[in-house]
Amino acid sequence: MTRLAFLILAGFAALSTLACGGDVFVEGCDDIEQPPARDSGWFQVSQVPPGAQVQSGIWGYFNLREFEHCVVLEREGSCRLEYCNPRWLEEERCNGERWSAGESVDVGELTLTGGLADLTATYDAPTGQYSALVSAPVFEPGDLLRLGVSGNARVPAVSVMLEGPPMAVISEPLELHELERGDPIKLNWSSGPGSGTVFAYVVNRPESRQHDNVIDSGSATESVICEADVSAGSLVMPANLLARLTPDTAMRALLIVDVANGDTVTIEGWHLGFSARSWAADPEGGRYSVEFTVR
């Protein structure tokens, strides 16, 4: 899994005491409530800057009886602190039962039309996912994109229309070696015409450990996620939320940004998410990311 993919799929273990950044928020079996399972899926078209070392394209997954493995610990304005851990889906809960990660299923073909390239993805059984990647742009800002699921006996056919979002070029911060407790992060960007929501993510790995010369990332992630309209040109990630991140982890925290438009559809018991996403660029045209140590 890439460092980008863990923002979509993240997680934790079933413990009688569950902590994030030293702040215990669940204590004892009586306080652990099993969330409802639901049939769910996600279909995303992603575009990267021209100088990025990864590809643009479409990606998706569809699972029967999937349990949520993330919790929101705190909100402040348009920002939230979120904790995720996939081990919740693997280990026994207090009642001796297991929360299932869900059964991956084939739902036919995923198709993208209306942009610069028409793409089709089919189900890959070994990974349980869909993907079709290209080394070229897949949409222009403002393109009306159709994301379609062909459907089969398991899931009905469904499609949504989303506007291709513009790309944000980040001007601040371009470097951030350390984040002192009590400091916010101020983010500035420019973008071309078009609509979308900027999402800024600071992702920390509280379980990361170094063994000899190898860093084990662990499965848990704690993230501060903020949103703003792309036309705003700036946002501030609040110090209160950033101060709850675990300090001095073996793996440095990561700041990345994207601009997205999305929609959700509930149909015949399925909860489906769709998004068109443009990852932010640095001034040189590469994919924007900043690594730093939380103090």
Side-chain angles (χ1 to χ4, degrees):
M1 181 178 293
T2 66
R3 298 202 71 186
L4 203 55
F6 71 65
L7 293 172
I8 305 170
L9 303 172
F12 176 48
L15 302 177
S16 59
T17 300
L18 187 61
C20 175
D23 296 332
V24 175
F25 59 90
V26 175
E27 293 185 356
C29 292
D30 292 341
D31 296 319
I32 298 177
E33 180 180 353
Q34 180 169 332
R38 63 184 182 185
D39 300 339
S40 62
W42 185 257
F43 180 4
Q44 173 178 286
V45 52
S46 294
Q47 182 146 286
V48 298
Q53 300 301 308
V54 294
Q55 294 177 299
S56 301
I58 58 176
W59 177 85
Y61 72 88
F62 298 82
N63 290 340
L64 295 171
R65 290 190 54 76
E66 180 180 46
F67 285 101
E68 182 58 75
H69 56 270
C70 296
V71 291
V72 175
L73 306 183
E74 186 177 346
R75 296 182 185 272
E76 183 174 329
S78 62
C79 300
R80 66 185 184 272
L81 172 65
E82 187 173 273
Y83 186 79
C84 303
N85 199 315
R87 290 205 313 272
W88 274 342
L89 308 178
E90 300 169 359
E91 300 185 6
E92 288 190 359
R93 305 304 298 183
C94 295
N95 59 8
E97 297 179 354
R98 292 178 181 270
W99 292 1
S100 169
E103 175 193 353
S104 171
V105 293
D106 183 347
V107 297
E109 292 184 338
L110 305 187
T111 57
L112 171 71
T113 57
L116 299 174
D118 292 347
L119 299 178
T120 299
T122 56
Y123 181 69
D124 180 63
T127 64
Q129 298 178 2
Y130 289 80
S131 66
L133 303 176
V134 294
S135 299
V138 291
F139 61 79
E140 295 277 5
D143 282 350
L144 193 57
L145 306 173
R146 180 184 181 274
L147 284 68
V149 179
S150 66
N152 53 25
R154 288 186 180 270
V155 63
V158 61
S159 66
V160 301
M161 306 296 291
L162 297 175
E163 183 179 333
M167 183 173 295
V169 178
I170 309 300
S171 57
E172 183 187 10
L174 297 180
E175 292 184 352
L176 182 62
H177 300 293
E178 295 185 350
L179 180 69
E180 297 293 339
R181 192 163 298 270
D183 287 348
I185 294 177
K186 300 177 182 179
L187 196 71
N188 293 313
W189 67 85
S190 59
S191 66
S195 63
T197 300
V198 168
F199 292 85
Y201 313 82
V202 167
V203 183
N204 200 37
R205 290 283 195 170
E207 296 180 346
S208 61
R209 300 289 184 272
Q210 183 158 355
H211 305 283
D212 297 324
N213 294 323
V214 178
I215 295 180
D216 178 2
S217 66
S219 64
T221 61
E222 47 188 23
S223 307
V224 175
I225 306 169
C226 294
E227 306 175 22
D229 191 274
V230 68
S231 64
S234 66
L235 64 80
V236 177
M237 308 188 81
N240 288 344
L241 300 186
L242 294 169
R244 294 190 63 183
L245 298 175
T246 301
D248 299 314
T249 54
M251 181 174 285
R252 304 181 79 195
L254 180 70
L255 168 62
I256 60 174
V257 181
D258 64 25
V259 186
N261 290 310
D263 195 6
T264 58
V265 175
T266 300
I267 184 170
E268 295 186 15
W270 281 87
H271 183 81
L272 306 176
F274 297 84
S275 72
R277 192 170 299 271
S278 183
W279 292 99
D282 59 32
E284 285 72 43
R287 189 180 68 190
Y288 175 80
S289 66
V290 172
E291 294 186 7
F292 58 93
T293 299
V294 177
R295 294 302 189 191

